Amino acid sequence: MKRALSAVAALVAMVAVVAGCGTGGPESIVDKDTLVIAVRSDLPYVGFRKPDGSFEGFDVDVARYVAGKLGKDFSLVPVLAADREKVLVDGRADMVVATYTISQDRKATVLFAGPYHISYQDILTRRDDPIGNVRELAGRKICEVRGANAAQRVVEERKVAAEVVPFADYQACLAGLKNRQVDAVTTNDVILAGLAMQDGSGLRLSNARFNEQRSGIGLPRGDVPGCEAVNRAITDMYQDGTAAKLLHTWFDASGLDLSTIAVPQFEGCS
Amino acid sequence: MTVVSVRVPPAPARRSVPGRIRVISGVTAGCLVLLFAALAAGGLTVRDGLQVIGRDAGPQVVATAGLYLALSDMDAVVADVLVMGDAYERERDKATARYEQRRSEANQALLKAFELSGDNEAERRTVQSVLDGLGAYERLAGQALLLNERSPHPPGPPPEAVVRLYRQATDLMRLMLLPQAYNLTLENGTIVRRTYDDKATTVPLLRGTVVLAGLLAVGCLVWLQVYLARRFRRVFGPALLIATLAVAASTVVGAAALGQNEQALREAKSAGFDSVLALARARAISNSMQGDQSRYLLDKERADTYEHTYLDKSLSLLYVEAGNLETYHAKVADNSGGFRGLLGPELVGAKGAQVEEAYQRFQAADTTFRTLAADGRVGEAVAARLDPVSAAFGAYDRSLVALADEHESVFDRAIDRGESTLGGLWLLLPFAAGVIGLLVVTGVWPRLKEYR
């Protein structure tokens, strides 16, 4: 009797193992114990590496919240705009929280959870420059940071004949603005607000708000369960008031319009 | 073994025969319990899957998508009325009626969504929050409409004060209410995917267990009969023979029923639900696109943003590589088939082809509309928006509905089929278990009695 029962048990267990192996696919972040999260290191108030090597900013706090909601330990690694796709594809990071604007062509290689924040494309100029909207960039020099598509959008999508000058990162861009190599920096308003606050020399944000920019959380393509779990975490972040608290903490002093803070319309994980 | 028991002295042999019968019967009973437990567990798992996918989350997708459409259209209608100015009296009356209708649809959808949210706290909070916001929206939209009526203007952008009021209303709608409705739809997609993935691994496992337990039970019954035949020199035990056949039949029927249910769930999910969800999302995004057209006319200061969101949404529906709207229009008009984006995989079959054509016509109408607006012919642009563009959008929207209906009926049929198969299984299960148990006892009991 015992022998027969143990034989039955062994067979059942075998069936279970065989069936369990059937569900292949890439490992989801949900199944990992620790996450490597890539954040920007060059964007003050957004994703910034302090001299002691630690990170701070809105994106960093969002990353921390999401990892907490997923119940994961995490480590942060710096990523530049141009490398955001690469770190996900070659597995150096499990998640990218780096003002990563969702776009359809990026979706071919990356899965986006969120957006966790909607920002707008805006223009940063020197205090004495009267540029007030995107059309007034015609004939002016604007900075383009490698890997970001904001400047390109001015020229291609808005068809404004601005002269695009490439720079390695926003610090170089800002220096270029101040020493008149370029006349304007255009990208997400949160990035510009952070740069202007850190600079403190009175650079001017025009509040032109001409393109909606949806910042998503980048995940390896195919990790649908992970994406859905992150979306739930983002919903919680807005419903429990954390999102509002973080936005006010980081951007209250910046002059950004924080009148509407609401959970953004998600991109969907499929 | 038999040889051994024949050789041992009579007294111990007399004790060992009933003992052995009991052991074999016990193992048989164990296998039967495992068989029926696995069948019952399979049935329960499938029932849970059919309930969640077919009766909760599936309908919730339809309800929440309906909510999004009603809300989005309310905001688009308000924008339409505001750009009509002091002309288009007849259209304005029609628009007002449409606004009322959409509001009532939104209320109904909210009630339904609340009912279907069951004990899902996050969903309930969301429905509550939309309900609250809708009141505020109606107040702001009402103020904008009233002020617009008091400040006559030709077709085109209304006075600045009206625009400012509308901006508050549309921001509330687009940035706070619509995302919540859309995310509710997505959340139900998540629930369905998780439930399906769970069932798609559990049900085959249980089905394997059913087959295994069934085979073991049949083996045990045969063993029991062979033993009894040898011991008692009877060739047939009719009761046990029938029991064996009944176990074999239950195993085959039960495993087949679970297999059919697995298939029904797969079909409901892959051929029905996934497309219903994708098309519901596409309809929602499309509706907000046509609203963006009116808002683009209405608010000069934000015209660039509204054009951008229109392009962004177009790209998410049918993706072609295009850096601006002009290129997009041209490529959509030229291209036939092979699109990526939300709608891409859905554009198959006759109804899918109709959607593609209707979408191309809608984008063509948009091309004309944008050209008029860009040339400063505002009055003509308003006229284009109110007639040819709206008509093209209506046709496109209807084609989406027709395609979604097709998938919805696949979904409903699969769920119905699953439920009726399951109903049959529930009928069979207690009956078969009872009869088989009885037969085994009838077959074994008289033999044991001989030793009393």
Side-chain angles (χ1 to χ4, degrees):
Chain A
M1 179 103 169
K2 256 187 189 162
R3 229 176 349 163
L5 277 182
S6 60
V8 171
L11 275 166
V12 171
M14 214 170 69
V15 174
V17 167
V18 169
C21 291
T23 54
E27 192 186 11
S28 169
I29 53 162
V30 185
D31 303 322
K32 293 193 172 174
D33 295 327
T34 54
L35 300 179
V36 179
I37 306 179
V39 293
R40 296 288 287 267
S41 56
D42 57 337
L43 304 178
Y45 295 82
V46 178
F48 190 70
R49 180 145 63 169
K50 292 190 285 187
D52 66 2
S54 65
F55 293 88
E56 65 166 20
F58 175 66
D59 280 355
V60 177
D61 285 345
V62 169
R64 191 167 287 137
Y65 181 91
V66 169
K69 274 280 161 185
L70 296 179
K72 310 289 177 194
D73 292 331
F74 66 97
S75 57
L76 298 171
V77 294
V79 67
L80 289 175
D83 297 331
R84 287 176 296 192
E85 233 164 83
K86 234 184 296 168
V87 294
L88 283 174
V89 172
D90 64 21
R92 269 181 287 160
D94 301 310
M95 200 193 269
V96 170
V97 188
T99 42
Y100 201 2
T101 300
I102 298 173
S103 74
Q104 297 306 315
D105 44 350
R106 283 176 178 166
K107 275 175 76 178
T109 42
V110 171
L111 181 62
F112 282 104
Y116 60 93
H117 183 241
I118 304 275
S119 52
Y120 293 86
Q121 190 164 352
D122 216 326
I123 303 164
L124 188 71
T125 57
R126 290 177 293 270
R127 197 203 313 235
D128 54 358
D129 202 312
I131 293 173
N133 66 51
V134 59
R135 306 202 180 280
E136 289 168 17
L137 291 176
R140 308 294 295 268
K141 286 181 178 158
I142 61 175
C143 135
E144 177 180 65
V145 169
R146 275 190 204 100
N149 57 5
Q152 208 48 50
R153 283 178 148 185
V154 169
V155 178
E156 193 178 355
E157 188 179 329
R158 297 268 69 86
K159 301 191 200 87
V160 172
E163 189 185 328
V164 176
V165 184
F167 284 87
D169 58 35
Y170 283 107
Q171 298 304 328
C173 216
L174 217 59
L177 177 64
K178 291 197 328 196
N179 67 26
R180 298 182 178 263
Q181 274 177 284
V182 291
D183 300 311
V185 185
T186 174
T187 186
N188 286 14
D189 49 15
V190 287
I191 297 181
L192 296 177
L195 289 170
M197 278 193 288
Q198 190 203 39
D199 180 69
S201 73
L203 296 171
R204 195 176 61 88
L205 197 61
S206 76
N207 267 314
R209 305 191 105 191
F210 55 94
N211 278 350
E212 200 181 85
Q213 308 271 75
R214 294 171 303 139
S215 300
I217 294 185
L219 296 168
R221 213 174 120 78
D223 186 5
V224 174
C227 172
E228 289 171 349
V230 172
N231 279 349
R232 284 187 175 173
I234 294 172
T235 305
D236 287 343
M237 184 172 80
Y238 278 88
Q239 287 191 345
D240 70 13
T242 306
K245 202 186 83 200
L246 294 180
L247 283 165
H248 284 298
T249 305
W250 290 106
F251 300 112
D252 253 352
S254 72
L256 268 188
D257 180 3
L258 298 176
S259 57
T260 310
I261 296 175
V263 65
Q265 183 162 318
F266 291 150
E267 185 66 21
C269 295
S270 47
Chain B
M1 272 216 192
T2 18
V3 182
V4 174
S5 42
V6 168
R7 275 183 192 167
V8 290
R14 284 192 156 245
R15 274 205 303 278
S16 87
V17 170
R20 177 147 288 211
I21 295 178
R22 282 197 199 97
V23 168
I24 303 177
S25 307
V27 175
T28 312
C31 291
L32 286 174
V33 168
L34 182 63
L35 168 66
F36 284 102
L39 270 176
L44 286 175
T45 310
V46 166
R47 187 177 69 178
D48 184 47
L50 288 169
Q51 174 69 30
V52 171
I53 296 174
R55 304 291 166 214
D56 295 341
Q60 184 71 306
V61 161
V62 177
T64 52
L67 174 64
Y68 187 105
L69 286 175
L71 293 176
S72 165
D73 211 42
M74 277 168 70
D75 196 46
V77 168
V78 173
D80 278 344
V81 171
L82 296 182
V83 294
M84 284 175 191
D86 44 19
Y88 301 105
E89 204 170 320
R90 208 164 51 89
E91 281 83 353
R92 197 165 36 242
D93 289 344
K94 264 167 66 184
T96 313
R98 182 174 169 135
Y99 180 83
E100 292 300 327
Q101 190 203 333
R102 292 305 194 196
R103 190 176 60 175
S104 131
E105 283 170 18
N107 287 339
Q108 278 170 26
L110 272 170
L111 283 175
K112 185 87 186 154
F114 190 74
E115 188 190 314
L116 286 169
S117 61
D119 49 9
N120 186 328
E121 262 308 308
E123 278 192 25
R124 285 186 163 228
R125 267 204 303 274
T126 305
V127 172
Q128 180 74 44
S129 148
V130 173
L131 208 54
D132 293 345
L134 189 54
Y137 174 82
E138 289 203 64
R139 190 168 46 78
L140 287 167
Q143 285 172 3
L145 287 168
L146 193 67
L147 188 62
N148 181 59
E149 221 168 280
R150 287 185 186 156
S151 34
H153 62 89
E160 185 55 31
V162 178
V163 174
R164 271 204 301 273
L165 270 172
Y166 176 74
R167 233 179 248 162
Q168 286 181 44
T170 192
D171 280 354
L172 177 61
M173 180 60 87
R174 288 179 308 105
L175 303 179
M176 301 192 76
L177 305 185
L178 290 176
Q180 297 188 63
Y182 190 84
N183 292 357
L184 264 186
T185 310
L186 286 178
E187 172 62 19
N188 282 284
T190 300
I191 293 173
V192 167
R193 188 200 57 76
R194 287 191 176 185
T195 309
Y196 176 77
D197 282 359
D198 179 36
K199 307 304 171 198
T201 44
T202 319
V203 176
L205 209 65
L206 288 167
R207 194 157 52 98
T209 312
V210 165
V211 172
L212 202 71
L215 287 175
L216 283 172
V218 167
C220 287
L221 281 167
V222 170
W223 181 22
L224 187 59
Q225 283 170 87
V226 169
Y227 184 76
L228 289 178
R230 287 199 182 156
R231 283 277 104 191
F232 298 90
R233 309 193 191 289
R234 287 165 202 254
V235 182
F236 282 122
L240 286 181
L241 197 66
I242 300 175
T244 312
L245 292 176
V247 168
S250 299
T251 306
V252 170
V253 171
L258 288 185
Q260 277 164 18
N261 270 317
E262 214 182 300
Q263 168 75 26
L265 278 176
R266 181 165 48 240
E267 202 176 309
K269 162 79 166 50
S270 310
F273 181 83
D274 287 350
S275 293
V276 169
L277 176 62
L279 290 167
R281 290 169 60 193
R283 257 192 102 197
I285 292 172
S286 305
N287 196 287
S288 72
M289 275 165 67
Q290 60 108 21
D292 286 341
Q293 291 175 322
S294 296
R295 289 186 278 270
Y296 164 80
L297 279 181
L298 184 147
D299 191 339
K300 276 188 193 152
E301 207 179 294
R302 287 194 183 173
D304 282 330
T305 299
Y306 288 130
E307 190 184 283
H308 167 77
T309 52
Y310 180 91
L311 171 63
D312 215 32
K313 289 167 191 168
S314 299
L315 287 169
S316 75
L317 289 177
L318 278 191
Y319 181 75
V320 292
E321 216 179 307
N324 56 48
L325 192 52
E326 216 167 66
T327 319
Y328 184 81
H329 281 148
K331 285 198 174 172
V332 164
D334 287 349
N335 215 328
S336 49
F339 292 110
R340 280 195 283 144
L342 192 54
L343 271 180
E346 307 298 332
L347 299 179
V348 288
K351 293 234 161 67
Q354 280 164 18
V355 169
E356 190 179 329
E357 275 171 42
Y359 182 78
Q360 283 170 326
R361 274 198 289 275
F362 171 57
Q363 289 291 358
D366 185 71
T367 313
T368 323
F369 160 76
R370 304 268 169 192
T371 313
L372 289 171
D375 291 351
R377 293 147 75 182
V378 179
E380 287 167 77
V382 172
R385 161 70 195 136
L386 294 176
D387 186 22
V389 175
S390 278
F393 177 76
Y396 161 60
D397 191 51
R398 281 191 298 279
S399 74
L400 280 177
V401 173
L403 183 59
D405 282 349
E406 217 172 60
H407 291 287
E408 214 176 313
S409 69
V410 170
F411 177 78
D412 288 341
R413 274 203 306 274
I415 294 290
D416 286 347
R417 208 176 59 232
E419 281 178 342
S420 83
T421 310
L422 187 64
L425 188 66
W426 282 148
L427 272 182
L428 174 90
L429 212 59
F431 182 70
V435 166
I436 291 169
L438 216 60
L439 284 168
V440 172
V441 171
T442 319
V444 174
W445 191 246
R447 302 290 83 76
L448 283 175
K449 244 170 95 180
E450 289 181 22
Y451 290 88
R452 291 255 159 120

